[in-house]
Amino acid sequence: MNNTNSSPSSKRGIPLDRQFTREHVNNLLCNIIGKTLGEIDVKGVLDDAVRTRPDKVVRGIAGDIIELSVLGCKRDSRPEPDIWVDNEKTELKTTGLLKTNKDNCSEYQAKEPLTITGVSPDLLKVETFENSRFYHKIEHLLFVFYHYALSSTARNSDDYRSFPI
């Protein structure tokens, strides 16, 4: 499996740019550890965000960089898990961590709560748990963390450029 085939989808309807082996994903992500979001943004996601919304932080900008620039996926807004790893639907969550000092020990904490999108309370009422969109979103999670290295709130998406993975 790889994500370099130019064909739009496989026999099962899974886009080829979203199919990975665990080893491939692991290699891609291990290669960016310690690099900044700006360094890994080969698709110009930050530049596009700054150009189109100069006074705003585009929600999910870090996740877009991972998905588009690192994994090589095309933009996709389907309400299902982001990628398939070894034929398992896998939700990709990219989130910031803040450095804190508790009891003279350097720790990290989540910048903000995680959101699972594409889950409708109305659907939860009629779906069984094991077949629900919610369950399929949380069954296999892949986290990518970046250090939200600001002491204040980001002014725009460009502030994310120096955040290390």
Side-chain angles (χ1 to χ4, degrees), residues 29 32 35-50 58-73 75 92 94 144 146 157-163 165:
L29 295 177
I32 63 168
K35 295 182 181 178
T36 66
L37 289 170
E39 289 172 325
I40 64 173
D41 182 19
V42 298
K43 298 286 185 171
V45 175
L46 284 165
D47 292 337
D48 289 345
V50 170
V58 174
R59 283 192 57 76
I61 191 82
D64 287 347
I65 292 168
I66 298 299
E67 211 169 311
L68 302 172
S69 289
V70 177
L71 298 178
C73 299
R75 287 204 181 268
L92 176 66
T94 303
V144 176
Y146 61 90
S157 297
D158 200 46
D159 285 344
Y160 279 64
R161 198 171 297 275
S162 63
F163 295 168
I165 302 295

Coordinates of all heavy atoms in Angstrom, one line a residue, residues 29 32 35-50 58-73 75 92 94 144 146 157-163 165:
L29 N 6.0 10.2 9.9 CA 5.8 11.0 11.1 C 7.1 11.1 11.9 O 7.4 12.2 12.4 CB 4.7 10.5 12.0 CG 3.3 10.6 11.3 CD1 2.2 10.0 12.2 CD2 3.0 12.1 11.0
I32 N 9.5 13.9 10.9 CA 9.2 15.3 11.1 C 9.4 15.7 12.6 O 9.2 16.9 12.9 CB 7.8 15.7 10.6 CG1 6.7 14.9 11.4 CG2 7.7 15.5 9.1 CD1 5.3 15.4 11.2
K35 N 11.0 19.0 13.8 CA 10.9 20.1 12.8 C 9.7 20.9 13.1 O 8.8 20.5 13.9 CB 10.7 19.4 11.4 CG 11.9 18.7 11.0 CD 11.8 18.1 9.6 CE 13.0 17.3 9.2 NZ 12.9 16.7 7.9
T36 N 9.6 22.1 12.6 CA 8.5 23.0 12.8 C 7.4 22.9 11.8 O 7.7 22.3 10.7 CB 9.0 24.5 12.8 OG1 9.4 24.8 11.5 CG2 10.1 24.8 13.8
L37 N 6.2 23.3 12.1 CA 5.2 23.3 11.1 C 5.5 24.0 9.8 O 5.2 23.6 8.8 CB 3.9 23.8 11.7 CG 3.2 23.0 12.8 CD1 2.1 23.7 13.5 CD2 2.7 21.7 12.2
G38 N 6.3 25.1 10.0 CA 6.7 25.8 8.8 C 7.7 25.0 7.9 O 7.6 25.1 6.7
E39 N 8.6 24.3 8.6 CA 9.5 23.5 7.8 C 8.9 22.3 7.1 O 9.4 22.0 6.0 CB 10.6 22.9 8.8 CG 11.5 24.0 9.3 CD 12.4 23.4 10.4 OE1 12.0 22.5 11.2 OE2 13.6 23.8 10.5
I40 N 7.9 21.7 7.6 CA 7.3 20.6 7.0 C 6.1 20.9 6.0 O 5.7 20.1 5.3 CB 6.7 19.6 8.0 CG1 5.6 20.2 8.9 CG2 7.9 19.1 8.9 CD1 4.9 19.2 9.8
D41 N 5.8 22.2 6.0 CA 4.6 22.6 5.2 C 5.1 22.8 3.7 O 5.2 23.9 3.2 CB 4.0 23.9 5.7 CG 2.9 24.4 4.9 OD1 2.3 23.7 4.2 OD2 2.5 25.6 5.1
V42 N 5.3 21.7 3.0 CA 5.8 21.8 1.6 C 4.6 22.1 0.6 O 4.9 22.5 -0.5 CB 6.4 20.5 1.2 CG1 7.7 20.2 2.0 CG2 5.5 19.3 1.3
K43 N 3.4 22.1 1.1 CA 2.2 22.4 0.2 C 1.8 23.9 0.3 O 0.8 24.3 -0.3 CB 1.1 21.5 0.5 CG 1.3 20.0 0.3 CD 1.4 19.7 -1.2 CE 1.5 18.2 -1.4 NZ 1.4 17.8 -2.7
G44 N 2.5 24.6 1.2 CA 2.1 26.0 1.3 C 0.8 26.3 2.1 O 0.1 27.3 1.8
V45 N 0.4 25.4 3.0 CA -0.9 25.5 3.7 C -0.9 26.8 4.5 O -1.8 27.6 4.5 CB -1.1 24.3 4.6 CG1 -2.4 24.5 5.4 CG2 -1.2 23.0 3.7
L46 N 0.2 27.1 5.2 CA 0.3 28.3 6.0 C 0.3 29.6 5.1 O -0.4 30.5 5.5 CB 1.6 28.3 6.9 CG 1.6 27.4 8.1 CD1 3.0 27.2 8.6 CD2 0.7 28.0 9.1
D47 N 1.0 29.6 4.0 CA 1.0 30.7 3.1 C -0.4 31.0 2.6 O -0.8 32.1 2.5 CB 2.0 30.5 2.0 CG 3.4 30.5 2.4 OD1 3.7 31.0 3.5 OD2 4.3 29.9 1.7
D48 N -1.1 29.9 2.2 CA -2.5 30.1 1.7 C -3.4 30.7 2.8 O -4.2 31.6 2.5 CB -3.1 28.8 1.2 CG -2.4 28.3 -0.1 OD1 -1.8 29.1 -0.8 OD2 -2.6 27.1 -0.4
A49 N -3.3 30.2 4.0 CA -4.1 30.7 5.1 C -3.8 32.2 5.4 O -4.7 33.0 5.6 CB -3.9 29.8 6.3
V50 N -2.5 32.5 5.4 CA -2.2 33.9 5.7 C -2.6 34.8 4.6 O -3.1 35.9 4.9 CB -0.6 34.0 5.9 CG1 -0.2 35.5 6.0 CG2 -0.2 33.3 7.2
V58 N -6.7 30.0 11.1 CA -7.5 29.0 10.4 C -7.6 27.7 11.3 O -6.6 27.1 11.6 CB -7.0 28.6 9.0 CG1 -7.8 27.5 8.4 CG2 -7.0 29.9 8.1
R59 N -8.8 27.4 11.7 CA -9.0 26.2 12.6 C -8.5 25.0 11.9 O -8.8 24.8 10.7 CB -10.4 26.0 13.0 CG -10.9 27.0 14.0 CD -12.2 26.7 14.6 NE -12.4 25.4 15.3 CZ -11.9 25.0 16.4 NH1 -11.1 25.9 17.1 NH2 -12.1 23.8 16.9
G60 N -7.7 24.2 12.6 CA -7.2 22.9 12.0 C -6.0 23.1 11.1 O -5.7 22.2 10.4
I61 N -5.4 24.2 11.1 CA -4.3 24.5 10.2 C -3.1 23.5 10.4 O -2.6 23.0 9.5 CB -3.7 25.9 10.4 CG1 -2.8 26.3 9.2 CG2 -3.1 26.2 11.7 CD1 -3.4 26.7 8.0
A62 N -2.8 23.1 11.7 CA -1.8 22.1 11.9 C -2.1 20.8 11.3 O -1.3 20.1 10.7 CB -1.5 22.0 13.4
G63 N -3.4 20.4 11.5 CA -3.9 19.1 11.0 C -3.8 19.1 9.5 O -3.5 18.1 8.8
D64 N -4.2 20.2 8.9 CA -4.1 20.3 7.4 C -2.7 20.2 6.9 O -2.4 19.5 5.9 CB -4.6 21.7 6.9 CG -6.1 21.8 7.0 OD1 -6.8 20.8 7.2 OD2 -6.6 22.9 6.9
I65 N -1.7 20.7 7.6 CA -0.3 20.6 7.3 C 0.1 19.1 7.3 O 0.8 18.6 6.4 CB 0.6 21.5 8.2 CG1 0.3 22.9 7.9 CG2 2.1 21.1 7.9 CD1 1.0 23.9 8.9
I66 N -0.3 18.4 8.4 CA 0.1 17.0 8.5 C -0.6 16.2 7.4 O 0.1 15.4 6.7 CB -0.3 16.5 9.9 CG1 0.5 17.2 11.0 CG2 -0.1 14.9 10.0 CD1 2.0 17.1 11.0
E67 N -1.8 16.4 7.2 CA -2.6 15.6 6.2 C -2.1 15.9 4.8 O -1.9 15.0 4.0 CB -4.1 16.0 6.3 CG -5.0 14.9 6.0 CD -6.4 15.1 6.4 OE1 -6.7 15.5 7.5 OE2 -7.3 15.0 5.5
L68 N -1.9 17.2 4.4 CA -1.6 17.5 3.1 C -0.1 17.5 2.8 O 0.3 16.9 1.8 CB -2.1 18.9 2.7 CG -3.6 19.2 2.9 CD1 -4.0 20.6 2.7 CD2 -4.4 18.3 1.9
S69 N 0.7 18.0 3.7 CA 2.2 18.1 3.4 C 2.9 16.9 3.8 O 3.9 16.5 3.1 CB 2.7 19.4 4.1 OG 2.3 20.6 3.4
V70 N 2.6 16.3 4.9 CA 3.4 15.1 5.4 C 2.8 13.8 4.8 O 3.6 13.0 4.3 CB 3.4 15.1 6.9 CG1 4.1 13.9 7.4 CG2 4.0 16.4 7.5
L71 N 1.5 13.6 4.9 CA 0.9 12.4 4.4 C 0.6 12.4 2.9 O 0.5 11.4 2.3 CB -0.3 12.0 5.2 CG -0.1 11.8 6.7 CD1 -1.5 11.5 7.4 CD2 0.9 10.7 7.0
G72 N 0.6 13.6 2.4 CA 0.3 13.7 0.9 C -1.1 13.5 0.5 O -1.4 13.2 -0.7
C73 N -2.0 13.7 1.4 CA -3.5 13.5 1.1 C -4.0 14.7 0.4 O -3.4 15.8 0.5 CB -4.3 13.3 2.4 SG -3.8 11.8 3.3
R75 N -7.3 17.4 -0.1 CA -8.3 18.0 0.8 C -9.5 17.1 0.7 O -9.9 16.6 -0.3 CB -8.6 19.4 0.4 CG -7.6 20.4 0.7 CD -8.1 21.8 0.9 NE -7.1 22.7 1.2 CZ -6.7 23.0 2.5 NH1 -7.3 22.4 3.5 NH2 -5.7 23.8 2.7
L92 N -7.2 10.9 12.4 CA -5.9 11.7 12.6 C -6.3 12.9 13.4 O -7.1 13.7 13.0 CB -5.3 12.1 11.3 CG -4.0 13.0 11.4 CD1 -2.9 12.2 12.0 CD2 -3.6 13.4 10.0
T94 N -4.5 16.2 15.2 CA -3.3 17.0 15.5 C -3.6 18.1 16.4 O -4.6 18.8 16.2 CB -2.8 17.6 14.1 OG1 -2.6 16.5 13.2 CG2 -1.5 18.4 14.3
V144 N -0.9 13.4 16.6 CA 0.3 14.1 16.2 C 0.3 15.4 17.1 O -0.7 16.2 17.1 CB 0.4 14.5 14.7 CG1 1.7 15.4 14.5 CG2 0.4 13.3 13.9
Y146 N 2.1 19.0 18.5 CA 3.0 20.1 18.3 C 3.1 20.9 19.6 O 2.1 21.0 20.3 CB 2.7 20.9 17.1 CG 1.4 21.6 17.2 CD1 1.2 22.9 17.7 CD2 0.2 21.0 16.7 CE1 0.0 23.5 17.8 CE2 -1.0 21.6 16.8 CZ -1.1 22.9 17.3 OH -2.3 23.5 17.4
S157 N -2.6 32.6 11.4 CA -2.0 31.3 11.2 C -0.5 31.3 11.0 O 0.1 30.3 11.3 CB -2.7 30.7 9.9 OG -4.0 30.5 10.1
D158 N 0.1 32.4 10.7 CA 1.5 32.5 10.5 C 2.2 32.3 11.9 O 3.4 31.8 11.9 CB 1.9 33.9 10.0 CG 3.3 33.9 9.3 OD1 3.6 32.9 8.6 OD2 4.1 34.8 9.6
D159 N 1.5 32.5 13.0 CA 2.1 32.3 14.3 C 2.4 30.8 14.5 O 3.3 30.5 15.3 CB 1.2 32.8 15.4 CG 1.2 34.3 15.5 OD1 2.1 34.9 15.0 OD2 0.3 34.8 16.2
Y160 N 1.8 29.9 13.8 CA 2.0 28.5 13.9 C 3.3 28.0 13.2 O 3.7 26.9 13.5 CB 0.8 27.7 13.3 CG -0.4 27.6 14.2 CD1 -1.0 28.8 14.6 CD2 -0.8 26.4 14.7 CE1 -2.1 28.7 15.5 CE2 -1.9 26.3 15.6 CZ -2.5 27.5 16.0 OH -3.6 27.4 16.8
R161 N 3.9 28.8 12.4 CA 5.0 28.5 11.6 C 6.2 27.9 12.4 O 6.9 27.0 12.0 CB 5.5 29.7 10.8 CG 6.4 29.3 9.6 CD 6.6 30.6 8.7 NE 5.4 31.1 8.1 CZ 4.8 30.6 7.0 NH1 5.4 29.7 6.3 NH2 3.8 31.2 6.5
S162 N 6.4 28.4 13.6 CA 7.6 28.1 14.4 C 7.3 27.0 15.4 O 8.2 26.6 16.2 CB 8.2 29.3 15.1 OG 7.2 29.8 16.0
F163 N 6.1 26.4 15.4 CA 5.8 25.4 16.4 C 6.4 24.1 16.0 O 6.1 23.5 15.0 CB 4.3 25.2 16.5 CG 3.5 26.4 17.1 CD1 2.1 26.5 17.0 CD2 4.2 27.5 17.7 CE1 1.4 27.5 17.5 CE2 3.5 28.6 18.2 CZ 2.1 28.6 18.1
I165 N 7.1 19.9 16.1 CA 6.4 18.7 16.2 C 7.0 17.9 17.3 O 8.2 17.8 17.4 CB 6.4 17.8 14.9 CG1 5.9 18.6 13.7 CG2 5.8 16.5 15.1 CD1 4.4 18.9 13.8

